[in-house]
């Protein structure tokens, strides 16, 4: 009975070893993920999948690029880690577009952001409320971030803002909202400080920072209110500098148009703003200055005023679509760059391996050849000394002994008496050995002395050894494991990631025109 119970306990797996795949926790998590995916739009899913190709969600900062193929982990490393280990500089594409709003003090910048996300995110008032740079973005919960936390969230701004540290820290803040209205979950608004002239002092160079941040924006909205118009020199200087580098990103609007109820007065304001801008901007052709106002805050009788605020939403939506296309194209370009880099590394390694094989062949051949002078010198020395155990070499292997003697031509004038006494010059029965049967020494007098011959052998040995060392200079080559990692990484990037990019592109095109094959 005890034996049967032990067998049954062995057959039944313990609770801790149950497959997590069949657990209700995983089923609940999969159901939650499916519901979350269903709530996302096609663009959101595409941008999320592209971001997952570059780095794991919540992954820390990528190390500085340094060529280290041995550290590759095929199938685990994402594009950012792969580029870093291949010595390539790679910047992950942004999931959200950046829209910067520039304008005079009290031009309606914060009010527009509140209207777009349908939430009171920014403080609005007649007085100067936004004295710093405020980032408004969508997140999982309502939160406010300050200073360094903002730079940690928007890591791509750190390089351009490094020259303004630490004065810029108090002027940075982030408002995280849970709003999903319009395209707010794919947009980050940058609310800049209201620009004023006079003795007002900013704690940081506001104009330089606006120009620096503009490099990372997709759209720049410039708002002119009917009161300030284009009369603020600081605003006009910023617009002029932005227009030199980012003219295609800039859009100009007359805000708070409902405060000017008469059409004739609005046209005068538009003409005055246009005249002031004409000397500051380059893209004068097809210049537009549409009017807009916040519908919720409009005065009575403003229904007849042309409101182009929805046009700003169309511009943002177009920028989101363009961002999706740019991210898909960048994914393909980065995959191509990695593939070409790995191919180049493998070709260089093939060349290095071929060179090392030739160097090893020639080097070890010279090393073996360098031993020959030592063997010849040893043979001559043994023949000269004519030791009893070794003097029988002429009887055992007369051909080898004769070759060894003939290589040096002749060493000495006559052998020593001990050698004559020990050398077997007669047969066993006492008869003299014929001279024709003895190996010739090349004459009584030699061309080289023993010291000269031994010195020459030593010099030849050293020369061949040095030549062997010089020839056997190997080039650095990858190990078999590193080569296998490179090949596997290239296969992962070329097949898996490119197939995923093609699948995402098809999903994006299907939403634009269903039925296009």
């Amino acid at each position: 009975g005890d034996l049967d119970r032990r067998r049954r306990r062995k057959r039944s797996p313990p609770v801790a070893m149950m497959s997590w795949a069949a657990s209700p926790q995983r089923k609940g998590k999969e159901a939650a993920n499916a519901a979350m995916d269903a709530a996302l739009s096609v663009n959101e899913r595409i941008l999320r999948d592209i971001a997952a190709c570059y780095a794991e969600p919540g992954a820390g900062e990528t190390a500085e690029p340094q060529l280290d193929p041995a550290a590759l982990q095929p199938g685990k490393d994402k594009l950012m880690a792969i580029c870093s280990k291949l010595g390539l500089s790679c910047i992950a594409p942004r999931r959200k577009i950046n829209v910067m709003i520039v304008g005079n003090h009290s031009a309606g910048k914060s009010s527009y952001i509140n209207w777009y996300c349908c939430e009171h995110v920014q403080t609005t008032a007649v007085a100067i409320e936004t004295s710093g740079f405020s980032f408004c973005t969508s997140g999982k919960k309502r939160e406010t971030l300050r200073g360094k936390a903002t730079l940690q969230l928007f890591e791509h701004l750190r390089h351009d803002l490094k020259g303004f540290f630490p004065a810029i820290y108090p002027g940075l803040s982030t408002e995280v909202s849970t709003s999903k209205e319009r395209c707010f979950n794919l947009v980050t608004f940058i609310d800049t400080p209201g620009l004023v002239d006079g003795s007002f002092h900013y704690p940081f160079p506001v104009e330089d920072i606006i120009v620096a941040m503009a490099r990372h924006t997709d759209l720049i909205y410039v708002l002119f209110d009917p009161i300030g118009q284009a009369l603020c020199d600081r605003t006009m200087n910023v617009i002029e500098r932005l227009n030199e580098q980012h003219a295609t990103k800039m859009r100009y609007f007359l805000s708070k148009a409902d405060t000017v109820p008469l059409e004739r007065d609005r046209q005068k304001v538009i003409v005055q703003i246009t005249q002031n801008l004409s000397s500051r901007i380059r893209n004068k052709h097809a210049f537009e200055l549409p009017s807009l106002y916040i519908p919720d805050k409009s005065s009575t009788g403003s229904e007849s005023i042309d409101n182009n605020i929805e046009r700003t939403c169309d511009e943002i939506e177009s920028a989101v679509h363009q961002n999706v296309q740019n991210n898909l194209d960048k994914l393909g370009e980065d995959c191509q760059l990695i593939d070409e880099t790995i191919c180049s590394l493998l070709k260089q390694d093939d060349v290095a391996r071929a060179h090392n094989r030739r160097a090893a062949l020639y080097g070890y051949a010279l090393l073996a050849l360098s031993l020959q002078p030592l063997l010849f010198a040893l043979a001559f020395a043994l023949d000269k000394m004519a030791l009893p155990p070794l003097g029988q070499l002429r009887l055992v292997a007369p051909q080898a002994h004769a070759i060894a003697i003939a290589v040096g031509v002749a060493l000495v004038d006559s052998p020593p008496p001990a050698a004559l006494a020990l050398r077997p010059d007669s047969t066993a029965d006492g008869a003299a050995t014929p001279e024709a049967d003895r190996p010739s020494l090349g004459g009584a007098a030699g061309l080289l002395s023993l010291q000269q011959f031994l010195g020459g052998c030593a010099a030849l040995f050293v020369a061949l050894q040095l030549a062997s060392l010089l020839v056997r200079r190997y080039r650095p080559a990858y190990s078999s494991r590193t080569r296998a990692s490179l090949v596997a990484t290239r296969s992962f990037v070329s097949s898996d990631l490119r197939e995923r990019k093609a699948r995402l592109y098809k999903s994006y095109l299907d939403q634009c025109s269903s039925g296009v094959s």
Side-chain angles (χ1 to χ4, degrees):
D2 295 340
L3 183 59
D4 294 339
R5 280 194 296 271
R6 285 196 215 100
R7 288 176 179 174
R8 281 196 296 269
R9 279 199 296 268
K10 286 183 179 180
R11 293 195 195 102
S12 59
V15 177
M17 295 178 61
M18 289 180 60
S19 175
W20 189 69
S23 63
Q25 289 86 354
R26 178 175 181 179
K27 293 181 180 179
K29 188 173 182 179
E30 290 178 350
N33 292 338
M36 186 179 298
D37 289 344
L40 297 177
S41 64
V42 176
N43 288 340
E44 288 180 275
R45 287 198 296 269
I46 292 175
L47 292 174
R48 181 197 60 185
D49 292 345
I50 292 176
C53 293
Y54 280 86
E56 291 288 349
E61 185 178 354
T62 307
E64 289 294 328
Q66 185 177 2
L67 185 60
D68 187 15
L72 287 172
Q73 297 178 340
K76 295 182 181 180
D77 287 338
K78 301 298 182 179
L79 286 178
M80 293 289 291
I82 293 174
C83 289
S84 177
K85 295 173 183 178
L86 293 179
L88 302 175
S89 178
C90 179
I91 300 177
R94 290 180 282 109
R95 294 179 61 178
K96 299 182 180 183
I97 66 169
N98 292 332
V99 180
M100 183 161 62
I101 304 179
V102 181
N104 301 331
H105 151 60
S106 191
K109 302 184 295 296
S110 300
S111 299
Y112 174 78
I113 296 175
N114 292 339
W115 170 84
Y116 188 90
C117 63
C118 298
E119 186 176 335
H120 190 76
V121 178
Q122 293 291 88
T123 304
T124 59
V126 177
I128 298 178
E129 291 291 343
T130 307
S131 59
F133 292 86
S134 180
F135 295 81
C136 301
T137 187
S138 177
K140 295 181 180 180
K141 68 174 184 176
R142 187 73 172 87
E143 189 64 68
T144 300
L145 306 177
R146 303 288 182 187
K148 295 183 179 180
T150 296
L151 288 176
Q152 191 68 26
L153 182 62
F154 302 99
E155 187 68 29
H156 56 278
L157 297 175
R158 183 180 294 275
H159 180 267
D160 290 308
L161 298 181
K162 187 180 297 183
F164 308 105
F165 296 162
I168 188 61
Y169 288 148
L172 294 177
S173 64
T174 301
E175 297 293 337
V176 182
S177 171
T178 58
S179 174
K180 303 295 181 183
E181 296 293 329
R182 300 181 176 89
C183 297
F184 184 60
N185 51 344
L186 295 176
V187 179
T188 296
F189 285 104
I190 305 176
D191 192 4
T192 60
L195 301 176
V196 295
D197 285 331
S199 59
F200 186 84
H201 176 70
Y202 295 91
F204 41 78
V206 61
E207 299 178 26
D208 297 334
I209 295 176
I210 290 177
V211 174
M213 287 187 177
R215 302 189 186 101
H216 302 277
T217 59
D218 300 273
L219 285 174
I220 302 175
Y221 283 173
V222 182
L223 303 184
F224 297 100
D225 63 287
I227 304 301
Q229 299 185 18
L231 302 177
C232 178
D233 290 337
R234 181 169 277 162
T235 303
M236 299 307 295
N237 292 335
V238 170
I239 292 174
E240 185 176 5
R241 293 178 61 181
L242 291 175
N243 191 266
E244 291 177 356
Q245 303 177 7
H246 313 286
T248 57
K249 300 178 183 179
M250 302 185 70
R251 307 289 187 270
Y252 305 91
F253 298 95
L254 173 64
S255 62
K256 297 184 177 182
D258 56 324
T259 60
V260 186
L262 296 179
E263 180 66 23
R264 183 182 63 181
D265 294 338
R266 284 197 306 275
Q267 292 301 323
K268 286 184 179 180
V269 171
I270 292 175
V271 170
Q272 292 173 2
I273 295 174
T274 304
Q275 288 176 348
N276 293 335
L277 283 175
S278 61
S279 61
R280 301 275 191 163
I281 62 177
R282 295 184 303 169
N283 53 337
K284 304 174 184 179
H285 181 69
F287 176 80
E288 292 183 294
L289 187 64
S291 59
L292 58 84
Y293 57 89
I294 306 301
D296 301 338
K297 298 183 178 182
S298 60
S299 58
T300 58
S302 61
E303 292 80 6
S304 60
I305 301 175
D306 186 23
N307 191 2
N308 294 275
I309 195 167
E310 292 294 339
R311 180 175 175 180
T312 63
C313 301
D314 297 337
E315 292 276 0
I316 292 175
E317 187 175 356
S318 299
V320 168
H321 285 287
Q322 187 62 47
N323 184 47
V324 175
Q325 298 176 35
N326 293 340
N327 285 8
L328 288 170
D329 293 339
K330 190 176 189 306
L331 176 60
E333 292 171 1
D334 290 339
C335 291
Q336 180 69 22
L337 177 62
I338 292 175
D339 182 74
E340 293 176 354
T341 303
I342 293 179
C343 284
S344 176
L345 292 177
L346 291 176
K347 288 181 180 179
Q348 294 176 9
D349 186 63
D350 290 337
V351 173
R353 284 170 175 259
H355 173 270
N356 294 344
R357 285 194 294 268
R358 291 194 300 270
L361 177 63
Y362 298 149
Y364 285 116
L366 290 174
L367 182 63
L369 188 61
S370 67
L371 301 178
Q372 301 304 316
L374 295 181
L375 296 178
F376 290 136
L378 180 61
F380 276 112
L382 294 178
D383 183 78
K384 180 67 177 176
M385 294 170 62
L387 298 177
L390 300 174
Q392 307 299 325
L393 178 64
R394 298 178 63 180
L395 295 178
V396 178
Q399 294 83 1
H401 184 269
I403 293 175
I405 297 302
V407 169
V409 181
L411 292 180
V412 293
D413 295 339
S414 60
L420 291 175
L422 296 174
R423 185 167 295 174
D425 289 338
S426 60
T427 59
D429 54 358
T433 304
E435 291 294 333
D437 295 338
R438 298 181 184 179
S440 176
L441 296 179
L447 298 178
L448 296 174
S449 67
L450 179 62
Q451 292 80 1
Q452 291 174 337
F453 180 75
L454 293 179
C457 289
L460 183 59
F461 170 76
V462 172
L464 291 175
Q465 285 283 335
L466 292 177
S468 175
L469 292 177
L470 291 176
V471 170
R472 285 186 293 122
R473 289 186 296 181
Y474 300 138
R475 296 178 182 177
Y478 299 132
S479 63
S480 300
R481 183 176 180 180
T482 302
R483 282 185 62 92
S485 298
L486 285 170
V487 173
T489 301
R490 181 190 176 193
S491 175
F492 168 72
V493 172
S494 301
S495 58
D496 296 358
L497 294 185
R498 283 186 174 176
E499 289 177 3
R500 187 180 302 180
K501 180 243 180 183
R503 187 169 60 253
L504 294 175
Y505 229 129
K506 185 177 183 303
S507 300
Y508 173 75
L509 296 176
D510 287 345
Q511 73 164 344
C512 300
S513 177
S514 59
V516 177
S517 58

